[in-house]
């Protein structure tokens, strides 16, 4: 077991877990943050995506030990006091969420994209979200949500 | 964008926020894997390592401490060892024989999820292997040769013959007259055009894998009192029915709760009956709640997929381009057990004639058994398969007789008042001519056709345009809706607000939202006033399964009627004024509840009086309504990499009243994306019946970077059968993309590809086998269609 200290959504946390435990499982099991989802377990679908020190990562591929001392943002940290972040509001209004299982990862990928390119081109949006699979929407409503969010933010 | 909350009139056709959308964007929705119960154990499945054989023995590795595990085999099943769909041939757990790879044999549960892998590895199963059949052709060959070793399925309680789950023969009229008409048509035709078309299996690839949590409750005497399963699913009452047989319990002792479901697409129609029964058996054995969730590899290898298919067309055509008569032989690969294959086959059969007039038509259809995991429901349910064959064949006919694909279709479209091939008069307006004109205009089809012809001569990127015309029937096929006899409730909650109770489930398509819109509009209330109960079979009535594009039209109509009834009740008994505000409604509701205690409006399906279907003759009104569509694809084929890409897609459909434009667009776009995947990306690789690429790494679905702009266009012609004039749209967009794209690829390259999926290696192989290693030259031989196993285009006269 290893003692891992990290800051999750602004709160300092400490967990005692096997060093190779997946960050995804640490979040879901040890910290009860179930917003990050497992879709494939091999870094293909992006449903478990989180921001690790500002970098978009698939938490199913990150061992717990590696996040010691890191700052983490999960979907639970995107809204403030129950108020939707503009990205969340745009996903809701544009129909960017259907079944909702890819939505947490997709919203974090959008946040990462807009941090990098506040006014992204369609190509940048398509590339920026290419690591997050959505089987419901065909992505068009998501693209619209991202463009709307770029206007609002 | 531009959402403004609306009330009453005008709510249908506006886009209020998705009912459960806020929780979804917050990441707060609780899917099954986000839930647990006190004392919960975890379950796993030991599966067949071979495709077919007899189980000689099951042994347990002494190195494993089996006292820690609960073990379930077929011998533990208290009721019938069957997963019932339409037949009882499908065992819940294999007992003496296995018939496909990954067939479940032993179930294990353990308090610690991480201990399961060692347990699964510690169960040793020895087999006497038997020969298997893995394709439609191998299955047919075994029957033809009476090769008893390879007769893998021998019929069931519900019919079927050796290796064949179901057959249909559909005639466009009286059987003898149609046969005579066909003979005359083929004798006198100017052209006879033959073709063969094939489609592959497709994985639903919902991002949330199958999963459930089951509980088993004991009587004081120790016997089983009841079971409860909650999980990710489309059809809670299907699972109730499965549990009643496996546990020999009455329906009211088998409770099923649908929780937030992360995509389904048909993949959670029949399969939850399997995983739900398994988890409940483990809960019975260990005395704890048991969670079973598959990982991606297990879900892809062991659960259902879209049926592979083969369609053979033989068509008599006049030189003016009239279809004089046709025969269609349609075959699907059902996998090892019948499951839903007979009804998938039925929808495929009825859609095989497409939106065209056939003076004489015969469709012979069959679902064959193979030693693959059973294929099951997937959006479109047989129609994408037979329509792929038809719409490729229409382009082949056009090319053969020298008409444009557009003109050939125009000369044969069904119109208002015409009869479909099952003899159903189209009483509601149908205007395929206009849909085609508008779709081609929206897509810039004619301009591109001319421009690409010039540009392709000097480019290694060959561009093309193609389209498909089609329809999709709403609701259960034939007498299905009569048999379902669906029931809905509309309750008035104690605070005077209405709540919808249905078993229709939300899994992304928008069930919650549109049903609340229907109720709000009819009750003249704001959208936010209406709630919908979670589908829990101990609470909600059976409004039928959430399949077959039936929720908006069929269940929506029941909600509309229940809402009308509630208004009438409150007006008659609680002085609700004719024009009311939400406050008036609450006040009237509270007055009613004070006097009567409760208010529940229950409405049952009433078949439209003029709709009739004859199951024996396979004729009549196949569906209460159809959505009609023309889809146009633009493609680019890179002759250096042999990669075909869809570069723009236009989807025009007439779907009755569009209830929620944002959700409706999302449905169409999502379906088109799955259709593009079906055509160009998603290939199941099989070896001895086992899926070899059961990972997202090597089964490729389209990403955001792969898809073209998808332009969605609606025509709205209200239907009398749906609420506010709506028809079903869920499955329609799966039908058109694949044939439109392959038609466009033929336009681009001059070569007809008739098998999907079509990946770069398939295009490469075809061009190199044509003897043109550099491909794309002008002299490619298009008269011999090498992809079509029936090569000859027989031309008489």
């Amino acid at each position: 077991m290893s003692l891992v200290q990290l800051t999750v959504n602004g709160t300092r946390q400490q967990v005692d877990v096997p060093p190779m435990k997946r960050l995804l499982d640490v979040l879901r099991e040890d910290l009860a943050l179930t917003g990050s989802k497992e879709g494939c377990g091999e870094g293909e679908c992006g449903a478990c995506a989180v921001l690790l020190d500002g970098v978009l990562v698939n938490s199913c591929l990150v061992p717990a030990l590696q996040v010691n001392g890191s700052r983490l943002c999960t979907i639970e940290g995107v809204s403030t006091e129950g108020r939707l972040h503009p990205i969340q509001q745009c996903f809701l209004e544009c129909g960017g969420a259907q079944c909702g299982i890819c939505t947490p990862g997709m919203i974090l990928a959008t946040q990462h994209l807009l941090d990098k390119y506040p006014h992204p081109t369609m190509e940048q949006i398509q590339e920026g979200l290419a690591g997050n699979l959505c089987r419901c929407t065909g992505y068009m409503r998501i693209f619209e949500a991202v463009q709307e969010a770029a206007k609002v933010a | 964008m531009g959402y403004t909350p609306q009330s009453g009139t005008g709510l249908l056709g506006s886009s209020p926020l998705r009912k459960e959308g806020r929780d979804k964007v917050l990441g707060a929705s609780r899917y099954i894997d986000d839930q647990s119960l006190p004392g919960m154990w975890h379950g796993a499945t030991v599966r067949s390592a071979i495709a077919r054989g007899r189980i000689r023995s099951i042994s347990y590795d002494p190195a494993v401490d089996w006292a820690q595990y609960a073990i379930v085999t077929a011998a533990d099943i208290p009721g019938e060892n069957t997963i019932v769909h339409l037949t009882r041939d499908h065992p819940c757990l294999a007992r003496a024989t296995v018939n496909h790879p990954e067939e479940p044999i032993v179930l294990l549960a353990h308090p610690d999820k991480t201990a399961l892998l060692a347990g699964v590895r510690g169960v040793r199963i020895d087999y006497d292997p038997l020969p298997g059949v893995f394709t439609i052709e191998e299955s047919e060959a075994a029957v033809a040769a009476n090769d008893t070793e390879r007769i893998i399925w021998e019929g069931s309680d519900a019919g079927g013959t050796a290796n064949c789950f179901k057959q249909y023969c559909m005639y466009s009229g009286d059987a003898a007259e149609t046969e005579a008409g066909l003979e005359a048509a083929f004798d006198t035709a100017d052209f006879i055009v033959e073709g063969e078309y094939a489609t592959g299996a497709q994985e639903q690839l919902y991002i949330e894998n199958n999963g459930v949590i089951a509980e088993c409750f004991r009587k004081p005497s120790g016997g089983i009192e009841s079971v409860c399963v909650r999980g990710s699913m489309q059809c809670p009452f299907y699972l109730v029915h499965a549990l009643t047989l496996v546990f020999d319990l009455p329906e009211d002792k088998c409770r099923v709760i649908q929780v937030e479901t992360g995509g389904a697409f048909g993949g959670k129609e029949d399969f939850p009956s399997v995983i739900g029964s398994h988890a409940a058996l483990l809960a019975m054995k260990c005395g704890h709640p048991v969670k079973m969730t598959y990982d991606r590899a297990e879900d892809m290898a062991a659960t259902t997929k879209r049926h592979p298919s083969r369609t053979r067309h033989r068509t008599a055509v006049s030189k003016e381009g009239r279809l004089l008569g046709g025969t269609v032989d349609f075959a699907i690969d059902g996998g090892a057990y019948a499951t839903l294959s007979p009804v998938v086959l039925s929808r495929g059969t009825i859609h095989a004639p497409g939106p065209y007039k056939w003076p004489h038509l015969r469709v012979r259809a069959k679902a064959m058994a193979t030693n693959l995991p059973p294929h099951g429901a997937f959006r479109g349910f047989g129609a994408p398969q037979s329509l792929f064959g038809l719409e490729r064949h229409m382009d082949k006919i056009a090319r053969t007789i020298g008409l444009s694909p557009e003109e050939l279709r125009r000369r044969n479209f069904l119109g208002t008042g015409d009869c479909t091939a099952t003899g159903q008069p189209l009483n509601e307006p149908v205007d395929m001519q206009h849909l085609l004109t508008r779709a081609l205009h929206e897509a810039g089809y004619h301009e591109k056709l001319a421009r690409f012809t010039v540009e392709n001569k000097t480019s290694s990127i060959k561009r093309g345009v193609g389209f498909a015309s089609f329809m999709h029937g709403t609701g259960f096929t034939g007498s299905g809706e009569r048999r379902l006899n669906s029931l809905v409730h509309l309750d008035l909650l104690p605070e005077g607000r209405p709540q919808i109770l249905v078993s229709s489930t939300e899994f992304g398509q928008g069930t919650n939202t549109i049903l609340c819109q229907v109720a709000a509009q009819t009750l003249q209330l704001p959208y936010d006033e209406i709630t919908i109960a979670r589908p829990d079979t101990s609470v909600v009535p059976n409004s039928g399964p959430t399949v077959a594009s039936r929720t908006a039209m069929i269940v929506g109509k029941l909600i509309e009627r229940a809402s009308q009834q509630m208004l009438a009740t409150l007006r008659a008994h609680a002085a609700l004024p004719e024009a009311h505000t939400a406050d008036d409604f609450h006040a009237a509701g509270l007055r009613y509840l004070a006097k009567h205690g409760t208010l529940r409006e229950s409405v049952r399906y009433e078949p439209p009086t003029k709709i009739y279907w004859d199951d024996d003759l396979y004729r009549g009104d196949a569906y209460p309504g159809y959505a009609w569509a023309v889809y146009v694809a633009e493609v680019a084929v890179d002759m250096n990499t042999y990669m075909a890409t869809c570069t723009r897609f236009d989807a025009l459909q007439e779907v009755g009243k569009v209830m929620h434009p944002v959700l409706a667009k999302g449905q169409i776009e999502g379906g088109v994306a799955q259709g593009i995947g079906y055509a160009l990306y998603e290939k199941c690789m099989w070896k001895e019946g086992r899926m070899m690429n059961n990972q997202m790494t090597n089964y490729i679905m389209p990403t955001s970077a792969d898809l073209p702009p998808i332009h969605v266009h609606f025509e709205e012609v209200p239907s009398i059968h749906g609420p506010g004039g709506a028809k079903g749209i869920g499955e329609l967009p799966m039908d058109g993309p694949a044939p439109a794209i392959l038609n466009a690829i033929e336009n681009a390259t001059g070569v007809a590809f008739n098998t999907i999926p079509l990946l770069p290696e398939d295009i490469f192989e075809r061009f190199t086998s044509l003897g043109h290693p550099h491909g794309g030259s002008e002299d490619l031989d298009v008269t011999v269609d090498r992809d079509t196993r029936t090569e000859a285009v027989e031309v008489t006269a």
Side-chain angles (χ1 to χ4, degrees):
Chain A
M1 301 294 265
S2 298
L3 209 56
V4 175
Q5 294 181 325
L6 69 169
T7 305
V8 183
N9 302 327
T11 306
R12 289 175 67 92
Q13 300 277 5
Q14 181 172 308
V15 290
D16 193 19
V17 295
M20 290 304 287
K21 186 165 185 174
R22 305 183 306 172
L23 174 59
L24 174 62
D25 298 329
V26 174
L27 291 172
R28 291 177 55 84
E29 295 169 7
D30 299 273
L31 299 174
L33 296 171
T34 55
S36 306
K37 309 299 180 189
E38 174 164 355
C40 68
E42 56 179 1
E44 283 289 330
C45 76
C48 65
V50 297
L51 294 172
L52 176 61
D53 293 324
V55 178
L56 187 70
V57 299
N58 288 320
S59 62
C60 74
L61 296 183
V62 178
L65 199 58
Q66 196 181 325
V67 301
N68 194 27
S70 292
R71 272 180 310 108
L72 214 63
C73 176
T74 72
I75 187 66
E76 287 87 353
V78 174
S79 59
T80 33
E81 289 159 12
R83 274 204 336 275
L84 298 187
H85 185 282
I87 295 173
Q88 291 171 314
Q89 187 66 31
C90 291
F91 266 71
L92 182 56
E93 292 182 8
C94 296
Q98 286 192 18
C99 84
I101 198 85
C102 77
T103 308
M106 201 64 88
I107 284 174
L108 288 164
T110 302
Q111 191 167 353
H112 184 250
L113 172 77
L114 294 181
D115 284 347
K116 203 166 154 193
Y117 307 110
H119 300 287
T121 63
M122 181 54 83
E123 210 164 47
Q124 286 167 335
I125 295 173
Q126 287 189 273
E127 285 300 324
L129 302 182
N132 294 73
L133 297 179
C134 170
R135 190 58 154 171
C136 293
T137 61
Y139 307 103
M140 301 297 135
R141 307 286 92 221
I142 292 173
F143 297 160
E144 196 176 307
V146 175
Q147 287 170 322
E148 289 299 322
K151 282 184 208 162
V152 180
Chain B
M1 294 295 284
Y3 161 67
T4 44
Q6 292 185 53
S7 171
T9 316
L11 189 53
L12 276 183
S14 72
S15 296
L17 297 181
R18 172 182 283 279
K19 270 284 164 185
E20 76 293 348
R22 186 181 160 81
D23 278 351
K24 284 179 171 173
V25 298
L26 283 168
S29 294
R30 305 274 288 166
Y31 300 83
I32 193 65
D33 204 26
D34 305 332
Q35 303 189 18
S36 66
L37 292 175
M40 187 176 82
W41 287 26
H42 298 269
T45 312
V46 182
R47 301 179 175 281
S48 171
I50 65 168
R52 183 169 176 240
R54 292 186 193 87
I55 297 172
R56 203 178 332 129
S57 65
I58 301 174
S59 55
Y60 298 86
D61 182 347
V64 176
D65 179 9
W66 293 106
Q68 293 183 15
Y69 292 81
I71 303 173
V72 167
T73 67
D76 294 299
I77 294 172
E80 261 186 77
N81 183 10
T82 185
I83 300 295
V84 72
H85 302 287
L86 305 156
T87 59
R88 294 183 177 188
D89 62 320
H90 183 194
C92 179
L93 289 169
R95 183 191 295 270
T97 59
V98 292
N99 288 298
H100 65 82
E102 311 298 336
E103 184 159 0
I105 303 169
V106 177
L107 304 170
L108 301 176
H110 193 282
D112 177 4
K113 191 176 180 179
T114 61
L116 286 167
L117 186 60
V120 170
R121 286 184 177 155
V123 179
R124 183 184 165 84
I125 299 167
D126 289 307
Y127 310 89
D128 292 320
L130 291 167
V133 296
F134 302 109
T135 61
I136 293 170
E137 288 72 23
E138 287 173 16
S139 187
E140 288 172 327
V143 178
N146 196 25
D147 177 356
T148 52
E149 277 220 306
R150 288 177 178 76
I151 299 299
I152 61 161
W153 192 88
E154 290 176 335
S156 75
D157 54 304
T161 55
N163 280 6
C164 184
F165 298 124
K166 186 74 184 177
Q167 293 186 61
Y168 297 107
C169 189
M170 181 176 97
Y171 283 108
S172 59
D174 171 79
E177 283 172 21
T178 305
E179 287 290 359
L182 282 170
E183 205 178 316
F186 283 108
D187 280 348
T188 58
D190 297 311
F191 297 91
I192 295 173
V193 184
E194 297 183 349
E196 183 177 306
Y197 309 90
T199 64
Q202 186 185 20
E203 165 61 36
Q204 292 89 356
L205 217 70
Y206 31 70
I207 306 295
E208 180 207 29
N209 293 314
N210 273 285
V212 295
I213 299 173
E215 297 167 276
C216 179
F217 302 97
R218 298 274 179 179
K219 295 174 186 164
S221 62
I224 297 169
E225 165 71 24
S226 65
V227 291
C228 174
V229 181
R230 64 198 77 207
S232 180
M233 69 187 79
Q234 294 175 238
C235 311
F237 279 97
Y238 279 8
L239 178 49
V240 168
H241 188 42
L243 292 168
T244 60
L245 290 167
V246 169
F247 285 88
D248 191 22
L249 286 171
E251 277 193 16
D252 63 344
K253 298 293 182 191
C254 300
R255 179 182 177 190
V256 175
I257 305 164
Q258 186 242 7
V259 306
E260 204 67 71
T261 294
F265 316 113
K268 294 170 185 173
E269 174 174 350
D270 44 327
F271 196 81
S273 296
V274 178
I275 189 173
S277 297
H278 288 173
L281 287 167
L282 284 170
M284 169 196 82
K285 196 67 184 275
C286 71
H288 294 268
V290 171
K291 179 190 275 190
M292 284 190 99
T293 52
Y294 293 164
D295 67 12
R296 181 58 59 184
E298 183 174 25
D299 197 290
M300 289 182 80
T303 77
T304 60
K305 297 182 182 19
R306 184 186 301 288
H307 291 69
S309 79
R310 182 194 67 205
T311 308
R312 290 179 176 146
H313 277 272
R314 186 164 189 264
T315 312
V317 193
S318 76
K319 59 180 185 293
E320 293 80 23
R322 304 262 173 219
L323 302 176
L324 304 174
T327 62
V328 185
D329 287 290
F330 177 55
I332 62 173
D333 172 353
Y337 299 109
T339 64
L340 294 172
S341 292
V343 279
V344 170
L345 185 69
S346 173
R347 188 173 278 269
T349 303
I350 291 169
H351 285 74
Y356 307 112
K357 279 183 276 199
W358 293 90
H360 309 285
L361 181 76
R362 182 189 69 215
V363 184
R364 281 200 183 120
K366 59 187 177 185
M368 300 301 293
T370 62
N371 295 111
L372 268 58
H375 293 299
F378 189 169
R379 195 177 203 167
F381 209 69
Q385 290 95 318
S386 63
L387 284 167
F388 172 76
L390 176 70
E391 283 302 286
R392 283 296 295 132
H393 192 60
M394 290 299 281
D395 266 30
K396 180 168 187 175
I397 294 172
R399 172 161 47 85
T400 306
I401 71 174
L403 277 182
S404 69
E406 176 186 359
E407 192 52 38
L408 174 71
R409 286 172 176 83
R410 289 200 185 279
R411 292 183 188 184
N412 294 283
F413 273 143
L414 286 166
T416 311
D418 288 335
C419 277
T420 68
T422 64
Q424 174 171 8
L426 296 170
N427 295 320
E428 297 204 312
V430 183
D431 194 349
M432 288 302 294
Q433 302 287 354
H434 169 67
L435 292 185
L436 181 55
T437 302
R438 183 176 164 203
L440 297 182
H441 173 73
E442 299 279 2
Y445 175 86
H446 290 112
E447 179 270 323
K448 285 174 185 160
L449 203 60
R451 179 156 55 88
F452 294 160
T453 307
V454 175
E455 290 174 359
N456 283 349
K457 287 181 182 162
T458 54
S459 174
S460 64
I461 309 275
K462 307 291 179 192
R463 302 167 78 84
V465 279
F467 67 92
S469 317
F470 57 100
M471 77 298 185
H472 199 96
T474 287
F476 260 43
T477 301
S479 42
E481 291 295 340
R482 262 172 223 268
R483 279 199 293 268
L484 281 179
N485 203 19
S486 298
L487 181 66
V488 306
H489 296 326
L490 185 66
D491 281 3
L492 198 61
L493 297 178
E495 66 271 23
R497 290 190 168 82
Q499 181 171 55
I500 294 167
L501 290 96
V502 291
S503 63
S504 307
T505 50
E506 171 68 54
F507 39 91
Q509 0 71 297
T511 299
N512 291 347
T513 304
I514 59 164
L515 293 181
C516 288
Q517 277 179 283
V518 170
Q521 162 136 339
T522 314
L523 291 165
Q524 297 161 39
L525 288 174
Y527 169 72
D528 292 341
E529 289 286 310
I530 316 292
T531 56
I532 185 163
R534 177 149 294 289
D536 171 342
T537 61
S538 71
V539 175
V540 300
N542 189 349
S543 62
T546 309
V547 302
S549 309
R550 65 184 293 277
T551 302
M553 187 178 198
I554 307 285
V555 182
K557 190 73 180 176
L558 299 180
I559 295 298
E560 186 181 66
R561 285 173 47 209
S563 304
Q564 288 162 347
Q565 258 179 232
M566 184 171 277
L567 272 190
T569 302
L570 292 178
R571 281 178 183 148
H573 302 288
L576 176 69
E578 278 294 323
H580 61 263
T581 63
D583 288 342
D584 295 337
F585 188 93
H586 296 154
L590 294 177
R591 281 196 295 278
Y592 187 94
L593 294 176
K595 206 180 329 171
H596 301 276
T598 59
L599 174 54
R600 163 168 291 182
E601 302 292 355
S602 296
V603 169
R604 197 173 276 288
Y605 179 74
E606 283 170 14
T609 48
K610 287 180 182 163
I611 298 275
Y612 189 70
W613 174 258
D614 188 322
D615 274 318
D616 297 324
L617 289 176
Y618 214 64
R619 286 192 62 68
D621 300 308
Y623 300 98
Y626 296 86
W628 306 89
V630 177
Y631 281 10
V632 189
E634 181 191 309
V635 301
V637 184
D638 185 330
M639 297 308 293
N640 294 313
T641 63
Y642 297 103
M643 177 87 185
T645 312
C646 185
T647 49
R648 177 186 165 120
F649 203 92
D650 283 81
L652 169 67
Q653 45 263 306
E654 189 279 283
V655 296
K657 173 73 180 174
V658 175
M659 301 170 90
H660 188 300
V662 169
L663 287 182
K665 269 188 167 182
Q667 279 294 291
I668 302 302
E669 290 158 354
V672 167
Q674 289 176 354
I676 292 171
Y678 189 37
L680 295 179
Y681 296 96
E682 300 179 33
K683 186 180 256 185
C684 294
M685 309 293 287
W686 302 99
K687 187 176 175 189
E688 300 275 296
R690 169 173 283 106
M691 187 185 188
M692 302 308 291
N693 55 332
N694 56 326
Q695 293 172 268
M696 284 181 169
T697 304
N698 47 21
Y699 180 90
I700 305 301
M701 64 160 271
T703 71
S704 57
D706 297 321
L707 289 173
I710 300 168
H711 300 271
V712 177
H713 318 280
F714 289 112
E715 292 271 329
E716 298 185 72
V717 181
S719 164
I720 57 161
H721 298 292
K727 299 194 279 199
I729 65 167
E731 294 172 290
L732 176 83
M734 191 70 226
D735 296 343
I741 288 167
L742 269 77
N743 287 345
I745 290 174
E746 181 174 355
N747 174 246
T749 63
V751 176
F753 292 92
N754 293 322
T755 301
I756 50 168
L758 183 68
L759 273 62
E761 55 266 36
D762 307 307
I763 299 176
F764 168 78
E765 192 176 311
R766 180 73 177 288
F767 274 105
T768 49
S769 74
L770 280 171
H772 293 268
H774 303 294
S777 62
E778 290 304 297
D779 58 343
L780 274 178
D781 179 2
V782 297
T783 59
V784 178
D785 187 352
R786 290 174 198 275
D787 195 43
T788 300
R789 271 159 266 179
T790 312
E791 288 204 351
V793 177
E794 184 184 334
V795 180
T796 57

